[in-house]
Amino acid sequence: MAVGLNAPEALQPVPGIRVAAVAAGIRYPGRDDLVLIDAGPDATVAALYTNNAFRAAPVVVAAEHQAAGGARWLLINAGNANAGTGEPGLAAARACCEALAAVTGDPAEAVLPFSTGVIGEPLPVERIIAALPVLHAGLAPNAWMQAGRAIMTTDTVLKGVSRRVALSQGEVTLTGIAKGSGMIHPDMATMLAFIGTDLAIEARALDGLLREANRDSFNAITVDGDTSTNDAVVVMASGASGAGLVTADDRVAFAAALDAVCLELAQAIVRDGEGATKFVTVEVVGARSREEAAQVAETVALSPLVKTALFASDPNWGRILAAVGRAGVPDLVIERVAIRVNDVEIVRDGGRAPEYAEADGQRAFDAEEIHIRIDLGRGDARTRKYTCDFSHEYVRINAEYRS
């Protein structure tokens, strides 16, 4: 079973994991903006963090604490990124962890902090610390939807998904939430995402599964080409089901479920891209390597000219052609390149397909779901990237973000 943007109320509790959200007054008056997740005393945790050189203070502290082992608690605030804040920011993140440790009785290293919001502003530590006792007291297994709403910033919809998968030792559940709408570009992961499961698994094996799932999901999306300072994706396994990956089929089944959860959350971020009106898949086939395919797909997906043409439903396919040509593919034989938009073949043998008609192109570009398929005609490698259009609304949202 999978649920997403259309049915977030169907998010399933994960045995062994509890969640809570409260209003701490961090930036958004009158709404929840602080989340606590308890992965359980026997939890294993895997996480990936942004590669941005200006890693936010909570990312630095979370990575340190995770490396120390024994992570159990996730503390997440919205409205303030605690990024670009130097040593005071690090001290603030650690103070929040220490305050939560005093409430839970666990070491501060058991807490992984995460933040999202405006960069460069001091974290209101006192407000967060004051809210912790109520937050901890409110932990419950069925608060995933409230948590998903609490971590939103410019998001317009809650992003959540649940799946159940049968293994040889029993059924396990996966539930995940994510936030992200702008400042989205693949470089490890580009948003915040938190996924819980009751699988029994060692941290090293969980880390391997997350890295595999991340490659074709969170690391395959772009809205605007900007990688955030705060990005992270975390998978928590409580072990409460007692079911592990004891057979090869178990691993395949669970990996497929985790892949699906990550992909649905990642695509939900693109669909909710700031001001987005169209969901776009850029598929490149016929490349010599996966890296080459990704290079071309990313160049097309990032092109402002392509993205603005898509917003206008303008079948100006020359912009796609030009993006492929400037992607830096060595020795590209343009006569072998073919480009299709949805069911309309536009480019063949390096030029406009003889049967192409403007009316067909218009029909393809008018669609809300657009699939751009580029065949380089030089190998067997392929990949996909997911993006959206650029609209007037994107400019307005980002121009007014701090207002």
Side-chain angles (χ1 to χ4, degrees), residues 25-27 57 77-90 92-93 96 115 117-128 402:
I26 296 168
R27 176 177 168 86
N77 76 267
N80 185 302
N82 192 13
T85 48
E87 285 298 326
L90 290 168
C96 291
S115 300
V118 176
I119 294 172
E121 297 291 334
L123 188 70
V125 177
E126 297 80 6
R127 297 178 189 177
I128 293 174
R402 295 207 312 154

Side-chain angles (χ1 to χ4, degrees), residues 26-328:
I26 296 168
R27 176 177 168 86
Y28 306 109
R31 57 151 276 193
D32 291 345
D33 55 7
L34 187 64
V35 170
L36 181 62
I37 302 178
D38 175 12
D42 301 317
T44 54
V45 176
L48 298 172
Y49 305 100
T50 180
N51 287 319
N52 193 304
F54 274 100
R55 274 188 170 190
V59 171
V60 173
V61 174
E64 290 175 352
H65 287 185
Q66 185 198 357
R72 170 177 178 175
W73 303 91
L74 274 58
L75 181 64
I76 311 141
N77 76 267
N80 185 302
N82 192 13
T85 48
E87 285 298 326
L90 290 168
R94 292 188 175 113
C96 291
C97 295
E98 291 164 2
L100 181 59
V103 174
T104 65
D106 286 320
E109 290 76 17
V111 182
L112 305 185
F114 300 94
S115 300
T116 180
V118 176
I119 294 172
E121 297 291 334
L123 188 70
V125 177
E126 297 80 6
R127 297 178 189 177
I128 293 174
I129 292 176
L132 292 180
V134 174
L135 184 65
H136 182 260
L139 285 166
N142 58 352
W144 285 94
M145 185 168 66
Q146 292 92 321
R149 287 186 177 135
I151 63 175
M152 292 166 60
T153 52
T154 58
D155 307 64
T156 65
V157 292
L158 163 63
K159 303 167 181 70
V161 58
S162 289
R163 284 185 181 262
R164 290 195 180 107
V165 57
L167 304 177
S168 60
Q169 294 181 319
E171 187 177 68
V172 299
T173 301
L174 298 91
T175 289
I177 55 174
K179 68 82 52 186
S181 186
M183 199 176 278
I184 304 296
H185 181 67
D187 192 7
M188 181 293 304
T190 43
M191 71 304 117
L192 293 178
F194 307 102
I195 301 166
T197 179
D198 53 339
L199 180 73
I201 186 172
E202 294 181 351
R204 183 174 180 179
L206 187 63
D207 178 79
L209 288 166
L210 174 58
R211 290 178 184 277
E212 291 175 11
N214 182 70
R215 185 186 69 173
D216 293 323
S217 58
F218 299 120
N219 224 23
I221 60 175
T222 183
V223 169
D224 46 26
D226 279 297
T227 298
S228 171
T229 54
N230 291 61
D231 303 333
V233 54
V234 184
V235 178
M236 307 154 280
S238 71
S241 69
L245 305 182
V246 298
T247 69
D249 288 345
D250 285 341
R251 190 187 190 284
V252 169
F254 183 82
L258 180 61
D259 291 351
V261 167
C262 290
L263 182 59
E264 186 164 344
L265 289 174
Q267 291 186 349
I269 290 170
V270 172
R271 293 180 187 277
D272 192 34
E274 289 169 342
T277 67
K278 300 191 177 186
F279 178 79
V280 184
T281 300
V282 181
E283 180 182 24
V284 175
V285 303
R288 287 181 180 169
S289 67
R290 181 184 173 85
E291 292 73 23
E292 181 178 275
Q295 183 177 336
V296 174
E298 193 167 294
T299 302
V300 174
L302 277 173
S303 168
L305 291 181
V306 172
K307 291 159 76 71
T308 50
L310 293 171
F311 169 65
S313 298
D314 177 13
N316 189 354
W317 53 266
R319 294 181 175 183
I320 302 173
L321 185 76
V324 174
R326 68 177 174 83

Side-chain angles (χ1 to χ4, degrees), residues 313-315 317 340-346 353-367:
S313 298
D314 177 13
W317 53 266
R340 179 181 294 269
V341 177
N342 288 354
D343 63 342
V344 178
E345 187 168 34
I346 295 176
E355 66 273 20
Y356 173 76
E358 183 78 0
D360 294 330
Q362 187 65 63
R363 172 172 53 81
F365 278 73
D366 280 341

